[in-house]
Amino acid sequence: MKIAVVKEQAPGERRVAATPETVRKFAALGASVAVEHDAGTEASIADADFAAAGATLGDRGATLAAADIVLAVQPPAPETLAGAAPGAWVAAIMAPFGEGGRARVDAYAAAGYEALAMDFMPRITRAQSMDVLSSQSNLAGYKAVLDAAAEYGRAFPMMMTAAGTVSAAKVFVMGVGVAGLQAIATARRLGAQVSATDVRSATREQILSLGAKPVFVEEVVGIEGEGSGGYAGEMSPEYQAAQAALVSSHIAKQDIVITTALIPGRAAPRLVTDAQLATMRAGSVLVDLAVEQGGNVEGAVAGEIVERHGVRIIGHRNVASRLAADSAALYARNLYNFLSTFWDKEQGRPVLDEEIGDAVRLTRGGTVVNARLVS
């Protein structure tokens, strides 16, 4: 069983799909691991570190030659995988609903590869250690607060000095999933006064447990906030109107707003309008973690920091990759946990079950087979 780890080609992608730690663990299972030259450089992993762990280093052609499993972060272009074994598995964050995603999945099918979408991992208890979205979102939430602090022209904590008192920054987190919870915790550690909101009532206790103030719409008929897989669902018109009014009154008093709301397979919901931005004081900062899926903030631009009404809107792409060493380490462990859980010693390879296998498998036998793509 040969596992190939390729160097990422996507602009700005600094992560890598394996580390020396996971290379050793794959070798202990009986697999050989080939790593493309400089695959880990941007994540502070030298070729020598991979070699010391037992990996074979080479160019892309040698790395992929007869590979049974290809590991990547961003989905490699199918035409760049020449030389991999027929029917080889390709495991990556496939993003099939994103721009060009479906065409890429179709190309994997046509090339005979079995594409495995790590971002389709079901959010069930036994798959927690394989959940790449959670591991990467956790770091993204942390980094969002640091990015906000870097752009905010004031201190975060309250400071009492002989010259006077500096008030604590007011931070408002919209969307309390994994990224939102980490953003709350990080802002609190920095000394900010933190509030948060979500459409899922179950998050109220989580917000309180982190020492933040929950901001919720109350007593509105038609709330459908509890979606599947830990995500929010679609809101009723009544709820949307009530939430807009609540946010408008609250956001005007905030110094920093961090938005994290996503709905799988759809554009990110609009949470902050231009009119609401205009109510914030000059020097305030917004961080839109959903900018690559259309954005929660009106006027946010993917890959840029823009200013509207004196408010800076941060729209960094691929935020987890901005902490490449840690995000790569967590992602690599997710991949190892996934493959090792299903490793069959007799066959010397992983054999997926129905529950998780059917959830993550996009293509097989030359066709697209995932229910979320063919229904």
Side-chain angles (χ1 to χ4, degrees):
M1 170 59 57
K2 178 180 178 180
I3 298 174
V5 180
V6 295
K7 179 177 173 60
E8 297 297 316
Q9 302 296 311
E13 183 54 74
R14 302 176 60 208
R15 293 170 290 182
V16 63
T19 62
E21 173 196 0
T22 61
V23 167
R24 293 187 188 93
K25 290 181 176 180
F26 280 127
L29 293 176
S32 65
V33 181
V35 178
E36 186 175 356
H37 279 306
D38 297 325
T41 302
E42 293 295 320
S44 303
I45 305 173
D47 282 355
D49 296 328
F50 278 122
T56 301
L57 278 295
D59 61 19
R60 197 175 187 90
T63 299
L64 289 169
D68 301 289
I69 299 175
V70 179
L71 302 183
V73 181
Q74 303 279 355
E79 63 271 17
T80 69
L81 298 177
W89 290 8
V90 182
I93 301 174
M94 291 293 176
F97 298 122
E99 183 178 355
R102 181 53 195 261
R104 186 169 50 244
V105 172
D106 291 340
Y108 281 133
Y113 299 124
E114 190 163 321
L116 304 177
M118 295 303 295
D119 42 328
F120 273 23
M121 189 65 63
R123 285 189 160 174
I124 56 178
T125 300
R126 71 189 188 95
Q128 286 181 342
S129 66
M130 315 170 198
D131 187 350
V132 302
L133 293 184
S134 290
S135 72
Q136 304 304 291
S137 293
N138 191 55
L139 288 170
Y142 165 78
K143 183 61 172 169
V145 176
L146 299 190
D147 288 339
E151 295 296 329
Y152 185 53
R154 299 177 176 87
F156 258 53
M158 183 181 74
M159 297 182 182
M160 300 182 70
T161 74
T165 300
V166 175
S167 299
K170 295 180 179 179
V171 177
F172 183 35
V173 178
M174 303 182 71
V176 189
V178 174
L181 289 169
Q182 184 56 246
I184 293 170
T186 302
R188 287 278 297 156
R189 285 195 292 268
L190 290 178
Q193 180 181 325
V194 185
S195 58
T197 189
D198 198 286
V199 298
R200 297 164 298 160
S201 59
T203 61
R204 182 189 297 270
E205 291 185 5
Q206 295 172 321
I207 295 169
L208 288 169
S209 72
L210 291 173
K213 175 186 176 182
V215 178
F216 278 81
V217 173
E218 306 289 354
E219 299 179 358
V220 175
V221 177
I223 296 177
E224 300 293 344
E226 305 296 340
S228 61
Y231 292 95
E234 289 292 310
M235 298 300 99
S236 69
E238 295 84 1
Y239 186 94
Q240 291 176 2
Q243 185 188 47
L246 177 66
V247 167
S248 293
S249 64
H250 189 69
I251 203 172
K253 307 169 187 175
Q254 304 305 303
D255 301 306
I256 292 170
V257 177
I258 297 172
T259 67
T260 72
L262 290 170
I263 299 176
R266 300 192 182 187
R270 180 56 47 82
L271 301 182
V272 181
T273 66
D274 186 70
Q276 290 168 328
L277 276 174
T279 68
M280 300 181 71
R281 70 171 177 169
S284 299
V285 176
L286 277 104
V287 182
D288 190 342
L289 286 181
V291 69
E292 292 179 278
Q293 282 74 47
N296 297 142
V297 180
E298 185 174 0
V301 179
E304 296 184 20
I305 300 175
V306 298
E307 188 168 313
R308 296 174 68 89
H309 308 294
V311 178
R312 296 180 72 78
I313 307 172
I314 301 174
H316 290 311
R317 295 180 182 272
N318 197 358
V319 175
S321 185
R322 291 163 57 78
L323 295 168
D326 286 330
S327 56
L330 296 181
Y331 181 75
R333 289 172 192 153
N334 290 146
L335 285 173
Y336 172 77
N337 292 336
F338 168 57
L339 295 176
S340 64
T341 295
F342 298 105
W343 200 271
D344 187 298
K345 293 183 179 179
E346 293 184 359
Q347 297 189 44
R349 60 173 299 127
V351 179
L352 302 183
D353 67 3
E354 290 186 7
E355 184 177 30
I356 292 177
D358 289 352
V360 303
R361 185 183 294 110
L362 304 185
T363 62
R364 191 177 202 179
T367 60
V368 177
V369 297
N370 193 279
R372 294 172 65 178
L373 301 181
V374 299
S375 58

